[in-house]
């Protein structure tokens, strides 16, 4: 048998990481393309990480360059399996002690949209894009993230295909709603060996019966937010919405809390807040039923909208009749803690989108889009591996880091953390959210990437504006 021709090595420690995927690629061109693509994704961002940027050629005019064409073929036409590459990535995360999953973590579900024009690109349609906060033409991808509040990384991703792409619309057998896709991804993550205490999701998924049924069939516990004004059947004299159930709970003041129990929340920067939580009764939700309604807030008297959670869970009450069931019981502190981990998926979005070019692809097919997303996740996981590499100062990490706060913003990463290792990682700080770790350390960029630095935008012709000329 003819020996494999060695691929040109990737710069720095990226070569050791990329070599672990070599047996998944059948040709030298595929192995080289994998290295070149990751190299471009990890390079400092000077413009959108399109194929021309990843190849290090001029935008537009360089699209026909051999380097850009190689990456285009690798992404769209080459014969490699993105699912196998993603499975190998997850195997490497499980094999590393610092990133290995455990039963105390959660699988967080969410979806994120990015604007894309045209009608020939797969999955494009007018739909709600949370990143823009409006309905527009774009692609929405449902994703899952595993986190325990100390580390976090993506598991699986699947683009949502709007109904107009199917011959029979929503009645087509191939059509899947976002909650159906999300439930399938959560089950897939659990079956892949990523144990979790619960599947966590926001209120967008609480309105789908299919989502609940899929998790129940897979015997997965969940903690999901409810819309505070979403009504349910109940006798006329009883509460009909989650906020009605919360207002029915007795409360006088902190010294006389009535039905409420104090819950201490610890944040990433070390400060703590006292929240109040209670089991509420709404329709079939009771503390002693298979499904519970938990209300958590900073102020039971006013129930502020942005600091009050209405959570449905199938984790039984410690003193309830279902405590000996298939799921271990959970008290109020634990349930509030589990839902408090949900914002980490927002943190991962900031990094894969703002630094790694999640939405910068310029391909049309479903196959190429999924491959691009898989390669971005590989780059994200490589950053974690380098952070925990033996040469890194991981002994200084806060291994008991508290969970993030309820607001998904940069304040979750304000705690000081040790700098990146100077021997392997570039010291230039990124202009936007960093890679992989939420703390203040330089982006995990390979020092050898300097020779592959993306080119700057080509100079345009002089244009006259009103009262001034653009140089």
């Amino acid at each position: 048998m003819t020996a494999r021709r060695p691929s040109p090595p990737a710069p720095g420690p990226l070569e050791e990481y990329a070599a672990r995927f070599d047996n998944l690629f059948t040709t030298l061109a595929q192995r080289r393309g994998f290295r070149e693509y990751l190299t471009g994704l990890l390079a400092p961002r000077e413009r959108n990480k399109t194929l021309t940027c990843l190849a290090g050629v001029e935008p537009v005019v360089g699209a026909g360059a051999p380097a850009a064409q190689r990456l285009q073929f690798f992404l769209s036409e080459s014969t490699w399996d993105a699912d196998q590459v993603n499975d190998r990535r997850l195997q490497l995360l499980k094999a590393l002690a610092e990133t290995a999953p455990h039963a105390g973590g959660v699988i967080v579900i969410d979806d994120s949209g990015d604007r894309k024009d045209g009608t020939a690109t797969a999955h494009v349609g007018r739909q709600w894009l949370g990143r823009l906060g409006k309905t527009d033409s774009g692609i929405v991808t449902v994703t899952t993230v595993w986190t325990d509040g100390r580390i976090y990384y993506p598991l699986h991703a699947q683009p949502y295909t709007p109904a107009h792409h199917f011959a029979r619309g929503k009645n087509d057998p191939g059509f899947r709603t976002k909650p159906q896709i999300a439930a399938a991804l959560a089950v897939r993550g659990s079956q892949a060996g990523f144990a979790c205490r619960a599947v966590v999701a926001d209120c967008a998924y609480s309105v789908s019966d299919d989502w609940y049924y899929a998790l129940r069939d897979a015997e997965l516990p969940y903690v999901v937010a409810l819309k505070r004004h979403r009504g349910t059947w109940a006798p006329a004299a009883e509460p009909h919405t989650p906020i009605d159930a919360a207002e029915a709970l007795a409360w006088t003041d902190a010294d006389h809390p009535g039905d409420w129990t104090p819950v201490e929340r610890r944040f990433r920067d070390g400060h703590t807040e006292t929240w109040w939580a209670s089991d509420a009764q709404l329709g079939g939700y009771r503390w002693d039923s298979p499904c519970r309604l938990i209300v958590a807030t900073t102020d039971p008297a006013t129930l502020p909208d942005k600091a009050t959670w209405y959570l449905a869970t199938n984790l039984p009450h410690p003193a309830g009749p279902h405590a000996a069931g298939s799921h271990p019981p959970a008290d109020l502190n634990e349930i509030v803690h589990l839902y408090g981990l949900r914002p980490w998926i927002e943190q991962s979005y900031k990094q894969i989108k703002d630094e790694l070019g999640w939405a910068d692809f310029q391909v049309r097919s479903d196959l190429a889009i999924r491959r691009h997303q898989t390669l971005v996740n590989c780059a994200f996981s490589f950053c974690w591996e380098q952070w925990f590499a033996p040469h890194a100062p991981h002994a200084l990490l806060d291994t008991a880091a508290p969970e993030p706060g309820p607001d998904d913003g940069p304040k979750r990463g304000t705690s000081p953390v040790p700098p990146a290792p100077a021997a392997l990682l570039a010291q230039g700080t990124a202009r936007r959210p960093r890679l992989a770790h939420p703390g203040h350390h330089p982006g995990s960029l390979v020092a050898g990437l300097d020779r592959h630095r993306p080119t700057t935008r080509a100079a345009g012709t002089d244009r006259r504006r009103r009262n001034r000329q653009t140089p």
Side-chain angles (χ1 to χ4, degrees):
M1 181 180 293
T2 305
R4 277 193 168 191
R5 295 172 56 191
S7 172
L14 182 59
E15 171 59 28
E16 180 183 355
Y17 182 78
R20 300 172 189 171
F21 296 82
D22 277 352
N23 64 336
L24 302 179
F25 301 106
T26 57
T27 66
L28 171 62
Q30 292 176 7
R31 297 192 295 274
R32 180 174 61 184
F34 181 69
R35 287 162 170 79
E36 291 178 349
Y37 211 97
L38 292 187
T39 298
L41 292 174
L42 290 165
R45 170 184 286 272
E46 294 182 359
R47 56 186 171 94
N48 285 352
K49 293 189 176 180
T50 59
L51 286 173
T52 55
C53 177
L54 301 184
V57 298
E58 295 287 347
V60 183
V61 297
Q69 288 296 301
R70 284 200 308 267
L71 291 184
Q72 175 71 47
F73 186 87
F74 170 72
L75 199 63
S76 301
E77 305 294 337
S78 187
T79 56
W80 56 278
D81 192 328
D83 288 336
Q84 290 182 357
V85 172
N86 191 64
D87 291 343
R88 177 65 53 83
R89 176 184 69 87
L90 296 180
Q91 290 172 7
L92 296 177
L93 288 170
K94 289 193 295 183
L96 187 63
E98 292 84 356
T99 58
H102 55 82
V106 298
I107 293 179
V108 186
I109 292 173
D110 202 2
D111 56 79
S112 180
D114 299 283
R115 195 177 186 280
K116 291 291 179 181
D117 288 324
T119 59
T121 304
H123 314 298
V124 168
R126 284 193 61 83
Q127 49 194 322
W128 175 260
L129 306 180
R131 184 174 176 84
L132 302 181
K134 64 177 182 178
T135 299
D136 206 338
S137 176
I139 295 179
V140 174
T141 302
V142 182
T143 59
T144 52
V145 163
W146 189 93
T147 180
D148 61 358
R150 181 181 62 95
I151 58 173
Y152 55 100
Y153 45 78
L155 297 180
H156 300 95
Q158 180 174 336
Y160 163 74
T161 307
H164 71 267
H165 286 266
F166 297 91
R168 297 173 56 188
K170 294 184 178 181
N171 295 322
D172 195 280
F175 175 75
R176 294 291 182 272
T177 64
K178 296 172 189 175
Q180 288 174 328
I181 296 173
L185 293 183
V187 174
R188 185 178 177 184
S190 176
Q191 292 175 346
F194 288 84
C196 66
R197 185 67 172 100
V199 176
V200 178
D202 62 14
C203 59
Y205 297 91
S206 64
V207 298
S208 171
D209 292 338
D210 294 333
W211 189 83
Y212 291 104
Y213 294 151
L215 296 185
R216 182 194 63 186
D217 294 341
E219 297 185 350
L220 286 176
Y222 60 82
V223 178
V224 58
L226 301 178
K227 296 182 178 180
R228 62 181 183 274
H229 290 300
R230 182 174 176 83
T232 186
W233 182 92
E238 296 183 4
H240 290 75
T241 63
I243 194 171
D244 292 340
E247 292 173 345
L249 297 171
W251 165 265
T252 303
D253 53 41
D255 295 328
H256 305 86
D259 295 328
W260 297 86
T261 300
V263 174
E264 184 180 80
R265 300 196 60 219
R266 299 179 64 242
F267 291 78
R268 181 81 183 181
D269 60 2
H271 85 278
T272 61
E273 291 183 3
T274 299
W275 282 45
W276 299 87
S278 176
D279 277 276
Q281 181 175 342
L282 174 65
Y285 293 109
R286 297 175 54 92
W287 71 272
D288 56 351
S289 69
C291 295
R292 301 161 60 193
L293 171 62
I294 308 298
V295 182
T297 182
T298 57
D299 185 3
T302 61
L303 299 174
D305 293 344
K306 295 185 178 181
T308 302
W309 298 340
Y310 306 93
L311 309 175
T313 181
N314 59 350
L315 293 172
H317 193 283
H322 302 281
S326 57
H327 304 310
D331 58 15
L332 297 174
N333 283 275
E334 184 177 10
I335 292 175
V336 172
H337 165 74
L338 292 175
Y339 190 75
L341 297 176
R342 198 204 71 82
W344 286 108
I345 196 170
E346 307 290 350
Q347 178 71 16
S348 71
Y349 283 148
K350 293 178 182 179
Q351 293 161 350
I352 65 175
K353 290 175 180 288
D354 295 339
E355 292 299 329
L356 294 177
W358 175 270
D360 293 346
F361 59 85
Q362 290 182 333
V363 290
R364 295 186 181 276
S365 68
D366 169 72
L367 175 65
I369 293 173
R370 290 172 184 263
R371 285 177 170 179
H372 171 79
Q373 294 173 344
T374 298
L375 293 170
V376 169
N377 287 341
C378 286
F380 187 95
S381 299
F382 166 75
C383 296
W384 270 123
E385 181 172 296
Q386 287 307 298
W387 177 256
F388 288 115
H391 54 262
H394 54 76
L396 300 178
L397 287 175
D398 181 11
T399 57
E403 69 272 18
D407 298 328
D408 46 341
K411 67 182 181 181
R412 290 194 304 272
T414 55
S415 59
V417 296
L424 291 177
L425 303 182
Q427 294 303 302
T429 56
R431 293 192 298 263
R432 285 178 290 274
R434 277 71 170 175
L435 301 183
H437 197 279
H440 295 320
H441 64 85
S444 298
L445 306 175
V446 183
L449 294 177
D450 289 340
R451 63 178 178 271
H452 299 282
R453 185 179 300 277
T455 58
T456 56
R457 188 180 301 275
T461 59
D462 291 348
R463 295 175 297 169
R464 289 187 176 275
R465 298 180 182 174
R466 182 177 298 178
N467 301 328
R468 70 172 183 173
Q469 181 178 4
T470 301

